[in-house]
Amino acid sequence: SAVISQKPSRDICQRGTSLTIQCQVDSQVTMMFWYRQQPGQSLTLIATANQGSEATYESGFVIDKFPISRPNLTFSTLTVSNMSPEDSSIYLCSVEALEGYGYTFGSGTRLTVV
Amino acid sequence: AQSVTQPDIHITVSEGASLELRCNYSYGATPYLFWYVQSPGQGLQLLLKYFSGDTLVQGIKGFEAEFKRSQSSFNLRKPSVHWSDAAEYFCAVGAYGNKLVFGAGTILRVKS
């Protein structure tokens, strides 16, 4: 299965600033997903990132707040913009291999907004 | 609508005892089913998955799960729990090319 490198692993940011999270995969994948896990909660899908097209956002998430790039089949970024303490969460990148072997997750980015 | 229900928020078992974590799902098509484990401060690790075929699937760390279509269930089991199994466990459902939908998670505590 794919191996995902996600950076940074954690960060503490000031409110009003933005943070860009990177997700690098060691193989080409069709679908890349960005999830949010708020403290004590399960995972919620933010958006699906497709190469060559705009990301598809889930209800409650908007591009202005969570812009996503997907320049090629092995890389994606998620930006958390104009952060507030409510954005403090773990953000996880996930991929589905072309072979359909299932979903793999990065180790996540633990974001704290102060 | 697609959904996953994990009815137990917390479960406590004694070390060496057997474990069963429940998962029920609602999905319009033939689903792919997954169990993930998350240790404190860590990302998600895939324990096992079911796509098709044998309804009893074996995973890592001695875990297994059984798919029961008639009950829309995919319960996770382990015959003898170790203290290192203490973590949060998530059941998820999806299909190829579609997003995963996660349950709320079950926190497993192991007492010695």
Side-chain angles (χ1 to χ4, degrees), chain B residues 79-93:
Chain B
S80 178
V81 170
H82 188 263
W83 63 267
S84 61
D85 293 324
E88 188 162 16
Y89 292 79
F90 292 97
C91 180
V93 63

Side-chain angles (χ1 to χ4, degrees), chain A residues 10 31 33 35 37 41-43 45 58 90 92 96-108 110, chain B residues 32 34 36 38 40-44 46 49 51 88 90 94-105:
Chain A
R10 58 178 64 233
M31 310 287 282
F33 306 89
Y35 284 84
Q37 186 180 23
Q41 304 293 316
S42 185
L43 283 78
L45 181 65
E58 296 298 304
I90 300 173
L92 297 115
E96 183 188 78
L98 288 174
E99 300 82 358
Y101 289 145
Y103 299 83
T104 303
F105 284 82
S107 56
R110 185 177 295 271
Chain B
Y32 295 171
F34 304 84
Y36 288 90
Q38 185 178 39
Q42 302 296 313
L44 270 72
L46 179 66
K49 58 195 175 192
F51 288 169
E88 188 162 16
F90 292 97
Y96 187 74
N98 291 286
K99 65 181 182 183
L100 282 187
V101 176
F102 284 83

